[in-house]
Amino acid sequence: MRSIWKGSIGFGLVSIPVKLYSAVQTSSLDLDMLDSRDHSRIRYQRVNEKTHKEVPYDKIVKGYKLANDDYVIVEDQDFEDAAPEKSKIIEIESFVDIADVNPMFYETSYYTEPDTKSNKAYALLLKALIQSKKAGLARFVLRSTESLCIVHPVDHVLVVTRIRFAQEIRSTDDLDIASDVTVSKKELDVGLALINQYAEDFDVSKFKDEYNDELLKIIKAKSKGKRATVKKLKPRETDSDDLYDQLMSSLKKKA
């Protein structure tokens, strides 16, 4: 793996030099866009809107548009100067219960690796977070963007997981959801019983990206001039429109 960021994790007066590595990878199939007429690949070009000529990467700069339509060019040094400490340090500002972080805030995760294999401060923070069952809440700059993150242990590694800022979560006020729907105690009891019947320890390794596997089978069959066997969608069968009857039938089916 290649590191994508180099800096340090700081808490109190302790500084831990680390590198960040992407902890996730996509499992989707790599599909190219083609012209349906001759199956030629469609390529996107960076074109100057005035000259209509392609612009090389090394000639592209970033600009902020002013009210008079003029641009202020923003250079790499400007991004770092905006917050030099955040460009190099993941500064833990507080420690929180990770269970208190709403999953809606999660974005993506990165493994951290200490600059030296046997780093005592790294080991200390890792063990302290495990024992306290806490996570560090921090801010840092990654790819010219300030990110909020939590620093938490996974096995024997400190993981940095970027989370969204509060203003990035939309309000639910515009959703048309009734708040006065009556659910009987009998229905609620059976609903809870159904949840308990399906309850188990979280084990994500049990789940695979089956959709892409099936799609790949279809693609391979088409490459041989065949048509893959397609699974038929089985409709959910119910003998009643009554919620309680549906719940009871679900309990019996699971049993």
Side-chain angles (χ1 to χ4, degrees), residues 1 10 26 34 65 77 134 192 207 213 242:
M1 289 190 292
T26 181
L34 309 176
K65 193 173 185 178
Q77 189 61 45
K134 298 285 186 182
L192 290 171
F207 300 90
D213 289 342
D242 182 77

Side-chain angles (χ1 to χ4, degrees), residues 69-81:
D69 287 344
D70 285 340
Y71 282 94
V72 174
I73 303 304
V74 185
E75 299 172 340
D76 291 342
Q77 189 61 45
D78 296 323
F79 289 112
E80 188 165 332
D81 290 345

Side-chain angles (χ1 to χ4, degrees), residues 16 26 33 35 48 56 64 74 76 87-88 108 116 179 184 217 220 244:
I16 310 168
T26 181
M33 296 183 68
D35 187 324
N48 183 310
Y64 180 82
V74 185
D76 291 342
S87 298
K88 298 297 182 184
T108 191
T116 55
S179 59
S184 69
K217 287 180 184 178
K220 288 182 176 179
Y244 180 76

Side-chain angles (χ1 to χ4, degrees), residues 173-187:
D173 293 343
D174 292 335
L175 300 179
D176 188 17
I177 302 174
S179 59
D180 56 352
V181 178
T182 301
V183 176
S184 69
K185 183 180 183 304
K186 182 174 70 170
E187 291 168 335

Side-chain angles (χ1 to χ4, degrees), residues 83-178:
E85 72 287 351
K86 291 177 183 175
S87 298
K88 298 297 182 184
I89 303 176
I90 300 172
E91 188 68 49
I92 295 177
E93 301 178 15
S94 61
F95 292 93
V96 300
D97 289 330
I98 196 167
D100 291 340
V101 182
N102 188 321
M104 286 182 67
F105 285 90
Y106 290 134
E107 285 196 351
T108 191
S109 296
Y110 305 92
Y111 292 133
T112 70
E113 177 188 73
D115 252 6
T116 55
K117 188 174 182 179
S118 299
N119 187 296
K120 195 170 185 177
Y122 186 96
L124 167 67
L125 181 57
L126 179 67
K127 291 181 180 179
L129 290 177
I130 292 172
Q131 189 165 324
S132 65
K133 297 181 180 179
K134 298 285 186 182
L137 186 61
R139 282 181 287 183
F140 75 115
V141 172
L142 178 66
R143 299 191 178 104
S144 307
T145 302
E146 183 170 28
S147 298
L148 191 62
C149 68
I150 52 173
V151 181
H152 57 105
V154 174
D155 298 328
H156 61 287
V157 177
L158 287 175
V159 174
V160 172
T161 295
R162 287 170 57 195
I163 61 175
R164 296 178 175 89
F165 288 95
Q167 64 264 35
E168 295 179 86
I169 304 296
R170 289 180 172 176
S171 169
T172 60
D173 293 343
D174 292 335
L175 300 179
D176 188 17
I177 302 174

